[in-house]
Amino acid sequence: MSSIPEELSYTKEHEWIAGLEDGITVTVGITAYAAESLGDVVFVQLPEAGATVEAGDAVGEVESTKSVSDIYAPVSGEVVEVNQVVVDDPSLVNSDPYGDGWLFRVRVQDTPEDLLSAEEYATVTTADS
Amino acid sequence: MSRPTPLREVHESLGATLTDFAGWLMPLRYGSESAEHNAVRTAAGLFDLSHMGEIFVTGPQAADALDHALVGHLSVLEPGRARYTMICAADGGVLDDLIVYRLAAEEFLVVANASNYPKVAAELTERTAGFEAAVEDRSDRYGLIAVQGPRSQEILATLTDADLPSLKYYAGLPATVAGVEALIARTGYTGEDGFELFVAAGDAVTLWQEVTKAGDAYGLRPAGLSARDTLRLEAGMPLYGNELNAGLTPFDAGLGRVVRFDKPGDFVGRAALAPLKDIPPRRRLTGLVARGRRVPRHGYPVVRLTDGTVVGEVTSGAPSQSLGKPIAMAYVDTDVSEGLAVDIRGSHEPVDVVDLPFYRRSK
């Protein structure tokens, strides 16, 4: 079973959000569960630094051998940094989804109310499988 | 509910990601599909293909019956040899692509795709009605395991006394493998040397485990449908439902050579196919290599880079391990061969046209 770190927040679309409680800049990635479901990730397209994103918008995509999935912005705000390392080596999404495989950082303007705790996200992955 | 193969518990114990494929519960991958793909290219891979259909055609007129039912010339096959062929509708559309083994003078094994074999069995029964031949779908009684890759002969040699070095490509040999009765066929769908082992369904688990044990020292690993698809795509092999369908003739697919007008007697599809023999098709199956990293996938439009005019459609696409770039097969208008792009979710990504196959093993 893939790991679901306690300290992170999650979306139903399998993004994780780190650093939400400080309310300034958060880091976003996709969960180990999502990475495992996708298979070997071969391409990651991320929003550009400086772009304004709305929570729920498709802002990028992850492509694996067999499929392609949208990446959704989990919060609204300004993209302040993207992880060029993962763009160059998309396999990091599989090997280290919560670490070097992070995707982008957003300076938060608005946080939706339906973000999930680790415990709540665990029920989403159980329902899926 | 998807049907499990006789190897379901083995797949589960190996931690496979299972998926529905053509109504069957099949292993998609066991771990990393890239690692499985590479194992087949450099060592060996082990596949469960028990979802394929095994249809037997037997009797004094079995050969003539197949010559009538299929587009190939099967009556000239020597016992022990196999041939790639197709079953076409009366209008020439491809109902399935098949491998036919002649096991004996009056016994043929027709291997059909999982999604099609009930239809193929029904068609064969109907088409052979006037012949002294019996058609029997024995798919439920068979397990099929494939060992594919450059080390496959060495691995199998540890499990059988059969004369593997003399077994030709597209030939089959009844033998005992790991104590199990099997038909060993030198066929496959990966572009590598390899074998397909037809066994009684009840023997599939034993054979799988023995091949796994024997293959360990050679780098063999189990491989799922995901690796099977990228391997066959690199090898430029058609997949029914992607490159082939009932709306296309063998000529449309660039496989007109399988239609044997020189055989005696009439066959289903002849009248429709004969006039097409010398007419160049509007589109041809083309190899595409993407310049970028986004993957052209099944159904995506092929467009002219200059003006966006749609000139084709992708039939299969995947990231290629061997080329390090996304590759695709597509039907493309015959008068265009450069300046192409694939419309990948709204963005026109440039591609280069290359000859098929993308990958050819070194002999």
Side-chain angles (χ1 to χ4, degrees):
Chain A
M1 197 57 215
S2 48
S3 61
I4 303 174
E6 282 294 321
E7 68 280 14
L8 305 178
S9 301
Y10 298 89
T11 67
K12 288 193 293 293
E13 289 77 29
H14 310 287
E15 284 88 19
W16 57 259
I17 307 102
L20 197 59
E21 57 283 351
D22 77 16
I24 301 166
T25 296
V26 299
T27 304
V28 176
I30 67 166
T31 66
Y33 173 81
E36 272 174 32
S37 308
L38 282 166
D40 295 340
V41 173
V42 296
F43 174 76
V44 176
Q45 187 189 41
L46 299 175
E48 285 180 20
T52 303
V53 296
E54 285 283 326
D57 282 358
V59 294
E61 56 188 37
V62 261
E63 186 136 26
S64 68
T65 307
K66 293 304 281 179
S67 64
V68 59
S69 303
D70 284 325
I71 302 167
Y72 298 93
V75 293
S76 301
E78 184 193 348
V79 176
V80 291
E81 190 181 355
V82 298
N83 185 3
Q84 190 57 41
V85 177
V86 85
V87 171
D88 295 337
D89 181 7
S91 71
L92 289 170
V93 172
N94 296 105
S95 61
D96 195 7
Y98 302 113
D100 292 344
W102 67 275
L103 298 178
F104 56 96
R105 296 199 164 107
V106 181
R107 185 178 297 126
V108 180
Q109 280 154 5
D110 191 35
T111 305
E113 284 168 13
D114 56 357
L115 292 181
L116 309 173
S117 67
E119 198 179 334
E120 288 164 333
Y121 179 65
T123 64
V124 174
T125 63
T126 318
D128 274 9
S129 55
Chain B
M1 272 303 282
S2 314
R3 292 168 64 182
T5 78
L7 290 160
R8 177 194 183 149
E9 286 179 15
V10 173
H11 301 319
E12 285 176 344
S13 72
L14 290 168
T17 301
L18 297 169
T19 188
D20 176 84
F21 180 79
W24 290 81
L25 190 64
M26 297 295 294
L28 182 63
R29 60 174 175 270
Y30 300 85
S32 155
E33 64 260 25
S34 311
E36 292 166 20
H37 179 114
N38 288 336
V40 175
R41 289 273 178 259
T42 59
L46 182 59
F47 297 86
D48 177 12
L49 308 179
S50 300
H51 61 314
M52 302 292 281
E54 289 87 7
I55 301 161
F56 284 75
V57 182
T58 53
Q61 288 189 303
D64 295 335
L66 286 173
D67 278 351
H68 170 71
L70 309 178
V71 300
H73 197 179
L74 291 313
S75 58
V76 295
L77 265 187
E78 296 288 330
R81 298 307 305 267
R83 187 153 293 174
Y84 178 75
T85 185
M86 292 178 181
I87 182 167
C88 286
D91 70 0
V94 179
L95 296 180
D96 201 10
D97 61 336
L98 310 165
I99 293 179
V100 177
Y101 298 86
R102 188 171 207 167
L103 304 178
E106 299 185 358
E107 184 180 22
F108 292 81
L109 164 59
V110 177
V111 180
N113 284 297
S115 50
N116 293 331
Y117 75 74
K119 178 178 70 186
V120 173
E123 282 290 335
L124 286 177
T125 303
E126 195 179 314
R127 294 178 185 193
T128 58
F131 294 84
E132 243 182 291
V135 175
E136 192 184 5
D137 179 0
R138 297 186 201 160
S139 304
D140 287 350
R141 287 191 244 159
Y142 274 85
L144 178 58
I145 287 171
V147 188
Q148 299 280 306
R151 311 296 300 267
S152 53
Q153 182 174 308
E154 292 168 85
I155 294 167
L156 220 50
T158 67
L159 297 171
T160 181
D161 295 333
D163 184 7
L164 299 176
S166 302
L167 187 62
K168 293 187 176 120
Y169 189 50
Y170 271 73
L173 174 71
T176 304
V177 183
V180 163
E181 292 303 309
L183 171 69
I184 306 177
R186 196 162 213 147
T187 43
Y189 198 47
T190 60
E192 298 298 333
D193 185 20
F195 301 88
E196 295 183 315
L197 308 169
F198 295 85
V199 295
D203 289 333
V205 170
T206 304
L207 185 61
W208 177 281
Q209 287 168 343
E210 292 302 317
V211 174
T212 299
K213 260 186 257 173
D216 190 46
Y218 298 89
L220 172 130
R221 55 194 296 168
L225 288 181
S226 185
R228 181 169 159 85
D229 193 49
T230 52
L231 290 158
R232 73 92 196 164
L233 176 57
E234 285 187 349
M237 293 173 169
L239 171 65
Y240 197 87
N242 289 39
E243 285 72 36
L244 301 172
N245 62 62
L248 296 173
T249 70
F251 295 103
D252 293 328
L255 293 165
R257 60 184 162 77
V258 306
V259 186
R260 301 302 302 268
F261 294 107
D262 54 345
K263 65 179 171 177
D266 195 16
F267 62 90
V268 180
R270 181 195 277 268
L273 290 168
L276 304 177
K277 182 164 50 123
D278 302 313
I279 302 172
R282 190 171 64 91
R283 287 183 167 175
R284 78 184 137 84
L285 195 62
T286 305
L288 304 177
V289 175
R291 294 186 199 160
R293 288 160 66 176
R294 303 176 86 196
V295 183
R297 294 185 189 272
H298 177 72
Y300 288 7
V302 179
V303 299
R304 232 194 305 253
L305 205 46
T306 46
D307 58 6
T309 311
V310 175
V311 293
E313 186 174 313
V314 173
T315 50
S316 295
S320 163
Q321 300 285 319
S322 304
L323 277 74
K325 290 176 180 173
I327 56 171
M329 289 199 277
Y331 283 110
V332 178
D333 291 352
T334 47
D335 57 349
V336 223
S337 62
E338 54 187 25
L340 293 178
V342 173
D343 184 333
I344 300 183
R345 301 180 293 282
S347 157
H348 292 180
E349 305 281 342
V351 292
D352 293 313
V353 173
V354 300
D355 290 334
L356 294 169
F358 299 98
Y359 168 87
R360 210 185 286 271
R361 73 184 155 107
S362 47
K363 299 269 176 186

Short mmCIF file of all heavy atoms in Angstrom, two decimals, chain B residues 82-137:
data_model
loop_
_atom_site.label_atom_id
_atom_site.label_comp_id
_atom_site.label_asym_id
_atom_site.label_seq_id
_atom_site.Cartn_x
_atom_site.Cartn_y
_atom_site.Cartn_z
N ALA B 82 3.62 -22.70 -39.10
CA ALA B 82 2.55 -21.76 -38.77
C ALA B 82 2.56 -20.61 -39.77
O ALA B 82 3.57 -20.37 -40.43
CB ALA B 82 2.74 -21.22 -37.36
N ARG B 83 1.45 -19.91 -39.84
CA ARG B 83 1.37 -18.76 -40.74
C ARG B 83 0.49 -17.67 -40.15
O ARG B 83 -0.51 -17.95 -39.49
CB ARG B 83 0.80 -19.21 -42.09
CG ARG B 83 0.82 -18.13 -43.15
CD ARG B 83 0.89 -18.73 -44.53
NE ARG B 83 2.16 -19.42 -44.78
CZ ARG B 83 2.42 -20.12 -45.87
NH1 ARG B 83 1.50 -20.25 -46.81
NH2 ARG B 83 3.60 -20.68 -46.04
N TYR B 84 0.91 -16.43 -40.39
CA TYR B 84 0.10 -15.26 -40.03
C TYR B 84 -0.94 -15.05 -41.12
O TYR B 84 -0.58 -15.01 -42.30
CB TYR B 84 0.99 -14.03 -39.90
CG TYR B 84 0.26 -12.75 -39.57
CD1 TYR B 84 -0.21 -12.51 -38.28
CD2 TYR B 84 0.01 -11.79 -40.55
CE1 TYR B 84 -0.88 -11.34 -37.97
CE2 TYR B 84 -0.65 -10.62 -40.25
CZ TYR B 84 -1.10 -10.38 -38.96
OH TYR B 84 -1.78 -9.23 -38.65
N THR B 85 -2.20 -14.96 -40.75
CA THR B 85 -3.24 -14.76 -41.75
C THR B 85 -4.40 -13.95 -41.15
O THR B 85 -4.28 -13.44 -40.03
CB THR B 85 -3.72 -16.12 -42.31
OG1 THR B 85 -4.65 -15.90 -43.37
CG2 THR B 85 -4.37 -16.97 -41.23
N MET B 86 -5.46 -13.81 -41.93
CA MET B 86 -6.61 -13.03 -41.46
C MET B 86 -7.91 -13.70 -41.86
O MET B 86 -7.95 -14.44 -42.84
CB MET B 86 -6.59 -11.63 -42.09
CG MET B 86 -5.45 -10.77 -41.61
SD MET B 86 -5.47 -9.19 -42.43
CE MET B 86 -4.02 -8.45 -41.67
N ILE B 87 -8.94 -13.41 -41.09
CA ILE B 87 -10.29 -13.78 -41.47
C ILE B 87 -11.00 -12.48 -41.82
O ILE B 87 -11.01 -11.53 -41.04
CB ILE B 87 -11.02 -14.58 -40.36
CG1 ILE B 87 -12.42 -15.00 -40.82
CG2 ILE B 87 -11.06 -13.84 -39.03
CD1 ILE B 87 -13.08 -16.06 -39.93
N CYS B 88 -11.54 -12.43 -43.07
CA CYS B 88 -12.18 -11.20 -43.53
C CYS B 88 -13.67 -11.43 -43.71
O CYS B 88 -14.12 -12.55 -43.95
CB CYS B 88 -11.57 -10.77 -44.87
SG CYS B 88 -9.92 -10.08 -44.69
N ALA B 89 -14.42 -10.35 -43.63
CA ALA B 89 -15.85 -10.40 -43.93
C ALA B 89 -16.02 -10.46 -45.45
O ALA B 89 -15.06 -10.23 -46.20
CB ALA B 89 -16.55 -9.18 -43.36
N ALA B 90 -17.25 -10.73 -45.91
CA ALA B 90 -17.51 -10.78 -47.35
C ALA B 90 -17.16 -9.44 -48.01
O ALA B 90 -16.76 -9.41 -49.17
CB ALA B 90 -18.97 -11.12 -47.60
N ASP B 91 -17.26 -8.33 -47.27
CA ASP B 91 -16.92 -7.03 -47.85
C ASP B 91 -15.42 -6.72 -47.78
O ASP B 91 -15.00 -5.62 -48.15
CB ASP B 91 -17.73 -5.91 -47.17
CG ASP B 91 -17.31 -5.66 -45.72
OD1 ASP B 91 -16.38 -6.34 -45.22
OD2 ASP B 91 -17.90 -4.76 -45.08
N GLY B 92 -14.64 -7.65 -47.29
CA GLY B 92 -13.18 -7.48 -47.26
C GLY B 92 -12.64 -6.94 -45.95
O GLY B 92 -11.43 -6.91 -45.75
N GLY B 93 -13.51 -6.50 -45.05
CA GLY B 93 -13.06 -5.97 -43.76
C GLY B 93 -12.42 -7.05 -42.91
O GLY B 93 -12.82 -8.21 -42.95
N VAL B 94 -11.40 -6.65 -42.13
CA VAL B 94 -10.67 -7.63 -41.32
C VAL B 94 -11.46 -7.93 -40.04
O VAL B 94 -11.68 -7.04 -39.22
CB VAL B 94 -9.27 -7.09 -40.96
CG1 VAL B 94 -8.52 -8.11 -40.08
CG2 VAL B 94 -8.46 -6.79 -42.22
N LEU B 95 -11.88 -9.18 -39.88
CA LEU B 95 -12.59 -9.57 -38.65
C LEU B 95 -11.61 -9.94 -37.54
O LEU B 95 -11.91 -9.79 -36.37
CB LEU B 95 -13.52 -10.76 -38.94
CG LEU B 95 -14.65 -10.48 -39.93
CD1 LEU B 95 -15.49 -11.73 -40.13
CD2 LEU B 95 -15.53 -9.33 -39.44
N ASP B 96 -10.46 -10.47 -37.92
CA ASP B 96 -9.40 -10.72 -36.95
C ASP B 96 -8.12 -11.09 -37.69
O ASP B 96 -8.16 -11.53 -38.83
CB ASP B 96 -9.78 -11.86 -36.00
CG ASP B 96 -8.97 -11.82 -34.68
OD1 ASP B 96 -8.28 -10.81 -34.44
OD2 ASP B 96 -9.04 -12.78 -33.91
N ASP B 97 -6.99 -10.86 -37.02
CA ASP B 97 -5.75 -11.43 -37.55
C ASP B 97 -5.39 -12.64 -36.69
O ASP B 97 -5.67 -12.66 -35.48
CB ASP B 97 -4.61 -10.40 -37.65
CG ASP B 97 -4.21 -9.76 -36.32
OD1 ASP B 97 -5.04 -9.72 -35.37
OD2 ASP B 97 -3.06 -9.29 -36.22
N LEU B 98 -4.83 -13.64 -37.34
CA LEU B 98 -4.71 -14.98 -36.74
C LEU B 98 -3.32 -15.55 -36.97
O LEU B 98 -2.64 -15.17 -37.93
CB LEU B 98 -5.70 -15.94 -37.42
CG LEU B 98 -7.15 -15.48 -37.56
CD1 LEU B 98 -7.87 -16.38 -38.57
CD2 LEU B 98 -7.85 -15.54 -36.21
N ILE B 99 -2.94 -16.46 -36.10
CA ILE B 99 -1.82 -17.35 -36.43
C ILE B 99 -2.40 -18.76 -36.51
O ILE B 99 -3.10 -19.20 -35.58
CB ILE B 99 -0.69 -17.27 -35.41
CG1 ILE B 99 -0.04 -15.89 -35.48
CG2 ILE B 99 0.36 -18.34 -35.71
CD1 ILE B 99 1.08 -15.67 -34.50
N VAL B 100 -2.16 -19.42 -37.64
CA VAL B 100 -2.67 -20.77 -37.85
C VAL B 100 -1.49 -21.74 -37.86
O VAL B 100 -0.53 -21.56 -38.63
CB VAL B 100 -3.46 -20.86 -39.17
CG1 VAL B 100 -3.93 -22.30 -39.40
CG2 VAL B 100 -4.66 -19.92 -39.14
N TYR B 101 -1.56 -22.74 -36.98
CA TYR B 101 -0.54 -23.79 -36.92
C TYR B 101 -1.12 -25.04 -37.56
O TYR B 101 -2.25 -25.42 -37.26
CB TYR B 101 -0.20 -24.13 -35.45
CG TYR B 101 0.39 -22.99 -34.68
CD1 TYR B 101 -0.43 -22.06 -34.04
CD2 TYR B 101 1.77 -22.84 -34.55
CE1 TYR B 101 0.11 -21.01 -33.31
CE2 TYR B 101 2.32 -21.79 -33.82
CZ TYR B 101 1.48 -20.88 -33.21
OH TYR B 101 2.01 -19.85 -32.49
N ARG B 102 -0.34 -25.68 -38.45
CA ARG B 102 -0.77 -27.00 -38.92
C ARG B 102 -0.09 -28.02 -38.01
O ARG B 102 1.13 -28.21 -38.07
CB ARG B 102 -0.38 -27.24 -40.37
CG ARG B 102 -1.00 -28.51 -40.91
CD ARG B 102 -0.82 -28.68 -42.40
NE ARG B 102 -1.90 -29.51 -42.95
CZ ARG B 102 -2.16 -29.62 -44.24
NH1 ARG B 102 -1.42 -28.97 -45.12
NH2 ARG B 102 -3.16 -30.39 -44.65
N LEU B 103 -0.87 -28.67 -37.17
CA LEU B 103 -0.31 -29.61 -36.20
C LEU B 103 -0.11 -30.97 -36.84
O LEU B 103 0.81 -31.71 -36.49
CB LEU B 103 -1.24 -29.72 -34.98
CG LEU B 103 -1.54 -28.40 -34.27
CD1 LEU B 103 -2.50 -28.62 -33.11
CD2 LEU B 103 -0.25 -27.75 -33.76
N ALA B 104 -1.01 -31.35 -37.76
CA ALA B 104 -0.93 -32.61 -38.49
C ALA B 104 -1.66 -32.38 -39.80
O ALA B 104 -2.25 -31.33 -40.02
CB ALA B 104 -1.59 -33.73 -37.68
N ALA B 105 -1.62 -33.39 -40.67
CA ALA B 105 -2.24 -33.24 -42.00
C ALA B 105 -3.68 -32.76 -41.87
O ALA B 105 -4.14 -31.90 -42.63
CB ALA B 105 -2.17 -34.55 -42.76
N GLU B 106 -4.38 -33.30 -40.89
CA GLU B 106 -5.81 -32.98 -40.77
C GLU B 106 -6.14 -32.24 -39.48
O GLU B 106 -7.25 -32.31 -38.97
CB GLU B 106 -6.63 -34.30 -40.85
CG GLU B 106 -6.42 -35.02 -42.17
CD GLU B 106 -7.32 -36.24 -42.33
OE1 GLU B 106 -8.08 -36.56 -41.39
OE2 GLU B 106 -7.24 -36.88 -43.39
N GLU B 107 -5.17 -31.54 -38.93
CA GLU B 107 -5.41 -30.83 -37.67
C GLU B 107 -4.73 -29.46 -37.67
O GLU B 107 -3.51 -29.36 -37.82
CB GLU B 107 -4.90 -31.66 -36.48
CG GLU B 107 -5.22 -31.01 -35.14
CD GLU B 107 -4.70 -31.82 -33.96
OE1 GLU B 107 -3.76 -32.63 -34.15
OE2 GLU B 107 -5.21 -31.63 -32.85
N PHE B 108 -5.54 -28.44 -37.51
CA PHE B 108 -5.04 -27.06 -37.47
C PHE B 108 -5.44 -26.40 -36.15
O PHE B 108 -6.53 -26.65 -35.64
CB PHE B 108 -5.62 -26.23 -38.61
CG PHE B 108 -5.14 -26.64 -39.98
CD1 PHE B 108 -5.71 -27.72 -40.64
CD2 PHE B 108 -4.12 -25.94 -40.61
CE1 PHE B 108 -5.28 -28.10 -41.90
CE2 PHE B 108 -3.68 -26.31 -41.87
CZ PHE B 108 -4.26 -27.40 -42.52
N LEU B 109 -4.55 -25.55 -35.65
CA LEU B 109 -4.84 -24.72 -34.48
C LEU B 109 -4.88 -23.26 -34.94
O LEU B 109 -3.89 -22.75 -35.47
CB LEU B 109 -3.77 -24.91 -33.41
CG LEU B 109 -3.71 -23.86 -32.28
CD1 LEU B 109 -5.01 -23.78 -31.50
CD2 LEU B 109 -2.54 -24.17 -31.33
N VAL B 110 -6.03 -22.64 -34.75
CA VAL B 110 -6.20 -21.23 -35.13
C VAL B 110 -6.15 -20.41 -33.84
O VAL B 110 -6.97 -20.60 -32.94
CB VAL B 110 -7.56 -21.02 -35.83
CG1 VAL B 110 -7.77 -19.54 -36.15
CG2 VAL B 110 -7.66 -21.87 -37.10
N VAL B 111 -5.17 -19.52 -33.74
CA VAL B 111 -5.05 -18.68 -32.55
C VAL B 111 -5.62 -17.29 -32.89
O VAL B 111 -5.13 -16.62 -33.80
CB VAL B 111 -3.60 -18.58 -32.07
CG1 VAL B 111 -3.51 -17.68 -30.84
CG2 VAL B 111 -3.07 -19.97 -31.74
N ALA B 112 -6.67 -16.93 -32.16
CA ALA B 112 -7.38 -15.67 -32.43
C ALA B 112 -7.24 -14.74 -31.23
O ALA B 112 -6.93 -15.18 -30.12
CB ALA B 112 -8.85 -15.97 -32.70
N ASN B 113 -7.48 -13.46 -31.46
CA ASN B 113 -7.38 -12.47 -30.40
C ASN B 113 -8.50 -12.64 -29.37
O ASN B 113 -9.63 -13.02 -29.70
CB ASN B 113 -7.43 -11.07 -30.98
CG ASN B 113 -6.12 -10.70 -31.63
OD1 ASN B 113 -5.09 -10.62 -30.98
ND2 ASN B 113 -6.15 -10.53 -32.96
N ALA B 114 -8.18 -12.30 -28.13
CA ALA B 114 -9.12 -12.47 -27.01
C ALA B 114 -10.46 -11.79 -27.29
O ALA B 114 -11.52 -12.37 -27.01
CB ALA B 114 -8.51 -11.88 -25.74
N SER B 115 -10.42 -10.59 -27.87
CA SER B 115 -11.65 -9.85 -28.08
C SER B 115 -12.49 -10.45 -29.20
O SER B 115 -13.66 -10.14 -29.33
CB SER B 115 -11.31 -8.40 -28.42
OG SER B 115 -10.36 -8.35 -29.45
N ASN B 116 -11.88 -11.30 -30.02
CA ASN B 116 -12.56 -11.75 -31.24
C ASN B 116 -12.86 -13.23 -31.32
O ASN B 116 -13.59 -13.65 -32.20
CB ASN B 116 -11.69 -11.39 -32.46
CG ASN B 116 -11.58 -9.90 -32.67
OD1 ASN B 116 -12.49 -9.16 -32.31
ND2 ASN B 116 -10.48 -9.47 -33.25
N TYR B 117 -12.27 -14.06 -30.44
CA TYR B 117 -12.32 -15.48 -30.77
C TYR B 117 -13.70 -16.12 -30.78
O TYR B 117 -13.95 -17.01 -31.59
CB TYR B 117 -11.29 -16.30 -29.99
CG TYR B 117 -11.57 -16.57 -28.53
CD1 TYR B 117 -12.54 -17.50 -28.15
CD2 TYR B 117 -10.84 -15.94 -27.54
CE1 TYR B 117 -12.78 -17.77 -26.81
CE2 TYR B 117 -11.08 -16.19 -26.20
CZ TYR B 117 -12.06 -17.10 -25.85
OH TYR B 117 -12.30 -17.36 -24.54
N PRO B 118 -14.67 -15.64 -29.93
CA PRO B 118 -16.01 -16.24 -30.08
C PRO B 118 -16.58 -15.99 -31.48
O PRO B 118 -17.18 -16.88 -32.08
CB PRO B 118 -16.82 -15.54 -29.00
CG PRO B 118 -15.80 -15.07 -27.99
CD PRO B 118 -14.62 -14.69 -28.81
N LYS B 119 -16.34 -14.78 -31.98
CA LYS B 119 -16.82 -14.43 -33.32
C LYS B 119 -16.09 -15.26 -34.38
O LYS B 119 -16.69 -15.75 -35.33
CB LYS B 119 -16.54 -12.92 -33.54
CG LYS B 119 -16.92 -12.39 -34.90
CD LYS B 119 -16.65 -10.89 -34.99
CE LYS B 119 -15.15 -10.58 -35.01
NZ LYS B 119 -14.86 -9.14 -34.97
N VAL B 120 -14.78 -15.42 -34.21
CA VAL B 120 -14.00 -16.20 -35.17
C VAL B 120 -14.47 -17.65 -35.17
O VAL B 120 -14.65 -18.26 -36.24
CB VAL B 120 -12.49 -16.12 -34.84
CG1 VAL B 120 -11.68 -17.08 -35.74
CG2 VAL B 120 -11.98 -14.69 -35.01
N ALA B 121 -14.70 -18.22 -34.00
CA ALA B 121 -15.15 -19.61 -33.92
C ALA B 121 -16.51 -19.76 -34.61
O ALA B 121 -16.73 -20.72 -35.35
CB ALA B 121 -15.24 -20.04 -32.45
N ALA B 122 -17.40 -18.80 -34.38
CA ALA B 122 -18.73 -18.86 -35.01
C ALA B 122 -18.61 -18.76 -36.53
O ALA B 122 -19.26 -19.50 -37.28
CB ALA B 122 -19.62 -17.74 -34.46
N GLU B 123 -17.77 -17.82 -36.99
CA GLU B 123 -17.58 -17.66 -38.44
C GLU B 123 -16.97 -18.92 -39.06
O GLU B 123 -17.38 -19.36 -40.14
CB GLU B 123 -16.66 -16.46 -38.73
CG GLU B 123 -17.35 -15.11 -38.62
CD GLU B 123 -18.35 -14.85 -39.73
OE1 GLU B 123 -18.20 -15.44 -40.83
OE2 GLU B 123 -19.29 -14.07 -39.50
N LEU B 124 -15.99 -19.49 -38.39
CA LEU B 124 -15.35 -20.69 -38.93
C LEU B 124 -16.35 -21.84 -39.02
O LEU B 124 -16.37 -22.59 -40.00
CB LEU B 124 -14.14 -21.11 -38.07
CG LEU B 124 -12.89 -20.24 -38.20
CD1 LEU B 124 -11.80 -20.74 -37.24
CD2 LEU B 124 -12.35 -20.26 -39.64
N THR B 125 -17.18 -21.97 -38.01
CA THR B 125 -18.20 -23.02 -38.00
C THR B 125 -19.14 -22.86 -39.20
O THR B 125 -19.42 -23.81 -39.93
CB THR B 125 -19.00 -22.98 -36.69
OG1 THR B 125 -18.08 -23.09 -35.60
CG2 THR B 125 -20.01 -24.10 -36.61
N GLU B 126 -19.57 -21.62 -39.41
CA GLU B 126 -20.49 -21.35 -40.50
C GLU B 126 -19.83 -21.56 -41.87
O GLU B 126 -20.39 -22.18 -42.76
CB GLU B 126 -20.98 -19.91 -40.37
CG GLU B 126 -22.20 -19.59 -41.18
CD GLU B 126 -22.64 -18.13 -40.95
OE1 GLU B 126 -22.69 -17.72 -39.77
OE2 GLU B 126 -22.89 -17.43 -41.93
N ARG B 127 -18.60 -21.07 -41.99
CA ARG B 127 -17.93 -21.10 -43.29
C ARG B 127 -17.45 -22.49 -43.70
O ARG B 127 -17.18 -22.74 -44.86
CB ARG B 127 -16.73 -20.15 -43.29
CG ARG B 127 -17.13 -18.69 -43.14
CD ARG B 127 -15.93 -17.78 -43.08
NE ARG B 127 -16.35 -16.41 -42.83
CZ ARG B 127 -15.56 -15.35 -42.98
NH1 ARG B 127 -14.30 -15.53 -43.34
NH2 ARG B 127 -16.02 -14.14 -42.74
N THR B 128 -17.28 -23.38 -42.72
CA THR B 128 -16.77 -24.71 -43.04
C THR B 128 -17.89 -25.75 -43.09
O THR B 128 -17.63 -26.94 -43.19
CB THR B 128 -15.72 -25.14 -42.00
OG1 THR B 128 -16.33 -25.14 -40.71
CG2 THR B 128 -14.53 -24.21 -41.98
N ALA B 129 -19.14 -25.26 -43.05
CA ALA B 129 -20.29 -26.17 -42.96
C ALA B 129 -20.32 -27.20 -44.09
O ALA B 129 -20.67 -28.35 -43.88
CB ALA B 129 -21.57 -25.35 -42.93
N GLY B 130 -19.95 -26.81 -45.29
CA GLY B 130 -20.02 -27.73 -46.42
C GLY B 130 -18.83 -28.68 -46.52
O GLY B 130 -18.74 -29.46 -47.47
N PHE B 131 -17.91 -28.58 -45.60
CA PHE B 131 -16.67 -29.37 -45.68
C PHE B 131 -16.67 -30.49 -44.65
O PHE B 131 -17.36 -30.41 -43.63
CB PHE B 131 -15.45 -28.47 -45.42
CG PHE B 131 -15.23 -27.43 -46.47
CD1 PHE B 131 -15.91 -26.21 -46.41
CD2 PHE B 131 -14.32 -27.64 -47.51
CE1 PHE B 131 -15.70 -25.24 -47.37
CE2 PHE B 131 -14.11 -26.67 -48.46
CZ PHE B 131 -14.81 -25.46 -48.41
N GLU B 132 -15.87 -31.51 -44.93
CA GLU B 132 -15.67 -32.57 -43.96
C GLU B 132 -14.64 -32.09 -42.94
O GLU B 132 -13.46 -32.45 -43.00
CB GLU B 132 -15.14 -33.82 -44.66
CG GLU B 132 -16.08 -35.02 -44.56
CD GLU B 132 -15.48 -36.24 -45.23
OE1 GLU B 132 -15.36 -36.23 -46.47
OE2 GLU B 132 -15.07 -37.16 -44.51
N ALA B 133 -15.09 -31.23 -42.07
CA ALA B 133 -14.19 -30.61 -41.09
C ALA B 133 -15.00 -30.21 -39.87
O ALA B 133 -16.16 -29.81 -40.00
CB ALA B 133 -13.50 -29.39 -41.69
N ALA B 134 -14.37 -30.31 -38.71
CA ALA B 134 -15.04 -29.92 -37.47
C ALA B 134 -14.30 -28.74 -36.85
O ALA B 134 -13.06 -28.68 -36.86
CB ALA B 134 -15.04 -31.09 -36.50
N VAL B 135 -15.07 -27.80 -36.32
CA VAL B 135 -14.49 -26.62 -35.66
C VAL B 135 -14.81 -26.71 -34.17
O VAL B 135 -15.96 -26.91 -33.80
CB VAL B 135 -15.07 -25.32 -36.24
CG1 VAL B 135 -14.56 -24.10 -35.47
CG2 VAL B 135 -14.74 -25.20 -37.72
N GLU B 136 -13.79 -26.61 -33.35
CA GLU B 136 -14.03 -26.67 -31.91
C GLU B 136 -13.23 -25.58 -31.20
O GLU B 136 -12.01 -25.50 -31.33
CB GLU B 136 -13.63 -28.05 -31.36
CG GLU B 136 -14.12 -28.25 -29.93
CD GLU B 136 -13.66 -29.58 -29.33
OE1 GLU B 136 -12.89 -30.31 -29.99
OE2 GLU B 136 -14.05 -29.86 -28.20
N ASP B 137 -13.94 -24.76 -30.45
CA ASP B 137 -13.29 -23.71 -29.67
C ASP B 137 -12.85 -24.31 -28.33
O ASP B 137 -13.68 -24.61 -27.49
CB ASP B 137 -14.29 -22.56 -29.45
CG ASP B 137 -13.70 -21.43 -28.62
OD1 ASP B 137 -12.52 -21.54 -28.21
OD2 ASP B 137 -14.41 -20.44 -28.39
#
